[in-house]
Amino acid sequence: MQKTLEKKSSNPMHDHSEQRNKGLPFNTKYFDRININRSAVDRRVTTLGGRRSVKKEFQAAWLLKAISMIDLTTLAGDDTRGNVLRLCEKAKNPVRQDILKALQMQNANLTTGAVCVYHNLIPYAKEALKGSTIPIAAVSTGFPAGQISLEEKITEIKKSVAAGATEIDIVISRALVLESKWKELYDEIKLCREACGDAHMKTILATGEIPTYTKVAKASWVAMMAGSDFIKTSTGKESVNATLAVSLVMIRCIRDYYELTGVKIGYKPAGGIQKAKQALDYLILIKEELGNEWLTPNLFRFGASSLLGDIERQLEHYVTGRYSAGFRHPMA
């Protein structure tokens, strides 16, 4: 079992060693003929859970793998320095030591993929994560609505990078998607990408506010063409956030972009992913559609706050055969 777990849960290096996405010149030929069949997409993801399942030590291994790909997030209005410090400690030590010892993983140096906070909390995260390799991700560009000027968005990105963020999660202007203003969307994202400099950029589409899968696909293409390192479903603040169906649409765009350019774009579902079983479904979808190469923190992340607690609870159940109370697995 130890060998299985180590193979699935090797320590993420957080080195962003994948080739950066330089983007493509704007051209609608890449996406103007896209027309997504909603019923076919829904049918594909509906059958996912029934066709694939992992059990026992294999499930434990996959769950440990999932932990390494969580952007452990706090984006609440009442966030304080104390909240962020606790979050960062949980990111560095995501699973109780007694559970890790039972899994023979106490020396695996398991951490989450990143810590994600608002701009003003970056200094606290930087303080708490000093000496670790865990990246700091900052939400930017008027998160979550994105209803500020482009100049303000650029300024906000630059300030977050200067403060210590190594990953920037931007939000697009949804009106540009709704009105099919693809060149304007491309120009906006490209300028944001330039402002990020060496920091990796995750572009949030807010898919719950995009009315059709076809427009989700076109927005995904524009975001990748403009230089996004990741495309991300949601802010977590919309009424509908990440779903397997919208994920299928977006990751098939990632696959097509890779086939065209040879560049691997990362994917981040966010919002509403709270249970270990959900995490497994997403990992299986990624494995089936993109392959094992994408099962790394450099190319796949969960945006989540409560998911880690349930994964830890499931791991304790695997070790002891009993479900423990939730308070034994606090998120932070």
Side-chain angles (χ1 to χ4, degrees):
M1 183 181 73
Q2 181 181 11
K3 184 177 180 181
T4 300
L5 294 174
E6 287 177 349
K7 183 178 180 181
K8 295 293 185 182
S9 311
S10 57
N11 179 39
M13 296 303 294
H14 307 306
D15 61 359
H16 291 140
S17 59
E18 296 291 339
Q19 179 183 354
R20 293 299 298 275
N21 179 27
K22 296 180 180 179
L24 295 170
F26 180 78
N27 194 324
T28 60
K29 72 177 183 180
Y30 298 117
F31 59 83
D32 58 2
R33 294 187 179 180
I34 290 176
N35 188 15
I36 305 297
N37 184 326
R38 178 178 287 269
S39 62
V41 169
D42 292 340
R43 185 166 59 251
R44 164 73 173 94
V45 297
T46 298
T47 63
L48 187 69
R51 293 186 301 105
R52 295 286 185 270
S53 64
V54 287
K55 303 293 185 182
K56 299 182 179 180
E57 70 268 25
F58 299 102
Q59 183 180 93
W62 277 92
L63 292 178
L64 288 168
K65 183 74 168 175
I67 290 171
S68 75
M69 295 184 284
I70 293 176
D71 279 4
L72 196 58
T73 303
T74 184
L75 297 171
D78 59 355
D79 281 338
T80 63
R81 176 177 178 273
N83 289 353
V84 175
L85 296 184
R86 288 194 298 272
L87 187 83
C88 292
E89 285 303 312
K90 188 65 175 177
K92 290 189 289 186
N93 301 284
V95 179
R96 292 202 330 261
Q97 282 299 308
D98 61 305
I99 298 175
L100 289 178
K101 287 179 181 177
L103 295 170
Q104 302 178 41
M105 291 295 292
Q106 65 270 26
N107 298 318
N109 194 23
L110 179 67
T111 70
T112 65
V115 166
C116 185
V117 295
Y118 279 116
H119 165 80
N120 60 306
L121 301 173
I122 294 173
Y124 303 139
K126 189 174 181 181
E127 169 193 352
L129 295 174
K130 185 177 181 180
S132 80
T133 59
I134 301 172
I136 299 171
V139 293
S140 193
T141 62
F143 180 95
Q147 296 286 12
I148 60 175
S149 71
L150 181 55
E151 292 75 19
E152 289 174 303
K153 291 181 178 182
I154 299 303
T155 298
E156 192 174 299
I157 290 171
K158 290 181 177 179
K159 286 183 176 180
S160 290
V161 173
T166 55
E167 300 179 1
I168 302 293
D169 290 27
I170 71 164
V171 290
I172 64 169
S173 298
R174 271 78 102 190
L176 299 179
V177 176
L178 299 177
E179 297 170 7
S180 299
K181 294 181 178 179
W182 304 118
K183 181 59 166 64
E184 290 182 42
L185 178 63
Y186 175 89
D187 291 341
E188 175 181 284
I189 297 173
K190 190 173 179 64
L191 288 171
C192 290
R193 172 66 183 82
E194 291 170 0
C196 286
D198 291 334
H200 275 228
M201 185 176 81
K202 308 189 198 91
T203 299
I204 306 170
L205 303 184
T207 54
E209 296 177 349
I210 298 177
T212 67
Y213 290 162
T214 297
K215 285 204 166 187
V216 168
K218 292 183 176 183
S220 298
W221 264 98
V222 173
M224 293 186 292
M225 290 166 56
S228 301
D229 296 296
F230 268 69
I231 52 175
K232 175 180 172 182
T233 59
S234 320
T235 66
K237 307 294 186 181
E238 293 88 53
S239 58
V240 178
N241 294 290
T243 66
L244 287 171
V246 82
S247 295
L248 178 63
V249 172
M250 293 173 69
I251 63 180
R252 285 191 174 175
C253 291
I254 288 173
R255 187 174 66 190
D256 291 344
Y257 188 86
Y258 173 66
E259 290 175 354
L260 176 69
T261 66
V263 177
K264 298 172 185 173
I265 305 300
Y267 180 64
K268 180 178 175 179
I273 304 172
Q274 301 173 336
K275 300 297 182 182
K277 177 62 170 65
Q278 291 175 283
L280 292 173
D281 287 341
Y282 279 95
L283 293 178
I284 291 169
L285 186 66
I286 290 292
K287 180 178 175 66
E288 290 189 353
E289 294 290 333
L290 294 175
N292 291 338
E293 293 176 73
W294 262 264
L295 292 174
T296 164
N298 290 338
L299 289 170
F300 183 76
R301 300 281 183 81
F302 292 104
S305 56
S306 59
L307 172 62
L308 178 54
D310 191 62
I311 289 179
E312 189 178 19
R313 186 167 178 258
Q314 296 301 325
L315 290 172
E316 180 164 8
H317 176 265
Y318 169 72
V319 168
T320 67
R322 299 181 300 275
Y323 282 110
S324 61
F327 67 82
R328 288 174 53 83
H329 310 283
M331 188 279 294

